[in-house]
Amino acid sequence: MSERILIVEDELKIARLLQLELEYEGYRTKLAHTGMDGLLSFRDEQFDLVLLDVMLPEMTGFEVLKRIRATDEWTPVLLVTAKSSVKDKVEGLDLGATDYITKPFEMEEVFARIRSALRRASSSKEQGVQIGGLVVDEARHEVKVEGQVVQLTPREFELLAYFVKNPNIVLTREQILDAVWGYDYYGDTNVVDVYVRYVRKKIEMENHTYIQTVRGVGYVLKESTHEAKG
């Protein structure tokens, strides 16, 4: 077992307990004690799952979750909180939380919820994501169009995978830069336009588009057999 878990928890004793117990079970972990540190760690590194406290300094867990889901629809996020009201749980789930753990908790319950979330995430990745005749399989790092394998560069694949994770959502160039090139990228946003053109040439056919331009805003991924590319 080598899954990596990000623990975002401001109560140091609870954070340390989670870290020790999870590492004893074979997981690899990283700690963050503020919402901002947790978000930056998530953006900078690769994690298989996030344990996210709701009441955090600098940025609440709800806000961290919202920002995570703006660029990543798949990584499981388990909210951990002392709040147990239905309203709080509904808010977290509506923002994209995978599951909810209420303090005080038993570690066996935490382990069970983590195992369940990781199984569901693994199953989704193995199946790949299909939109029309386009299939993107992140586990195999493979793209097919109408059953034919399409070769993409690593950056092109990352760009397309980001679109596939956020279908039918209009994404600004700044959001795309943040997700694909990194929040500390200071280059020209025109790089997004350049790479979108590269990807379009490889995955789109005449009168059949996937990545569509939203003028003055950015791009959206949705299958169309009628609209011309913008």
Side-chain angles (χ1 to χ4, degrees), residues 1-5 26-28 48:
M1 183 185 298
S2 59
E3 291 92 342
R4 193 154 187 255
I5 297 176
Y27 296 103
R28 293 174 295 140
D48 298 292

Side-chain angles (χ1 to χ4, degrees), residues 79-84 89 100-106 109 113:
L79 288 180
V80 183
T81 180
K83 293 187 176 182
S84 58
K89 291 184 178 181
Y100 226 105
I101 299 171
T102 303
K103 298 175 184 176
F105 50 76
E106 296 292 335
E109 177 190 1
R113 291 183 183 276

Side-chain angles (χ1 to χ4, degrees), residues 49-52 76-80 98-101 110 113-114 117:
L49 182 141
V50 181
L51 285 176
L52 177 62
V77 178
L78 306 189
L79 288 180
V80 183
T98 307
D99 204 346
Y100 226 105
I101 299 171
V110 175
R113 291 183 183 276
I114 287 174

Side-chain angles (χ1 to χ4, degrees), residues 26-144:
Y27 296 103
R28 293 174 295 140
T29 68
K30 180 174 182 178
L31 292 180
H33 300 301
T34 71
M36 182 61 73
D37 285 346
L39 182 61
L40 293 178
S41 292
F42 182 84
R43 288 177 171 177
D44 287 345
E45 304 175 46
Q46 294 292 320
F47 296 97
D48 298 292
L49 182 141
V50 181
L51 285 176
L52 177 62
D53 189 34
V54 170
M55 302 302 292
L56 292 166
E58 297 182 2
M59 183 185 296
T60 69
F62 288 142
E63 182 61 28
V64 174
L65 174 60
K66 183 178 179 180
R67 297 193 183 199
I68 286 175
R69 287 296 180 244
T71 60
D72 185 314
E73 196 174 284
W74 305 107
T75 302
V77 178
L78 306 189
L79 288 180
V80 183
T81 180
K83 293 187 176 182
S84 58
S85 74
V86 172
K87 179 179 179 294
D88 291 318
K89 291 184 178 181
V90 169
E91 181 178 357
L93 294 171
D94 282 346
L95 287 172
T98 307
D99 204 346
Y100 226 105
I101 299 171
T102 303
K103 298 175 184 176
F105 50 76
E106 296 292 335
M107 284 307 305
E108 288 305 318
E109 177 190 1
V110 175
F111 294 150
R113 291 183 183 276
I114 287 174
R115 288 193 297 267
S116 176
L118 289 172
R119 280 196 303 269
R120 294 197 301 270
S122 177
S123 176
S124 296
K125 285 183 179 180
E126 288 175 2
Q127 294 171 5
V129 178
Q130 180 168 357
I131 298 177
L134 173 68
V135 178
V136 178
D137 189 333
E138 286 199 84
R140 297 180 176 84
H141 212 270
E142 183 178 79
V143 175
K144 290 183 178 179

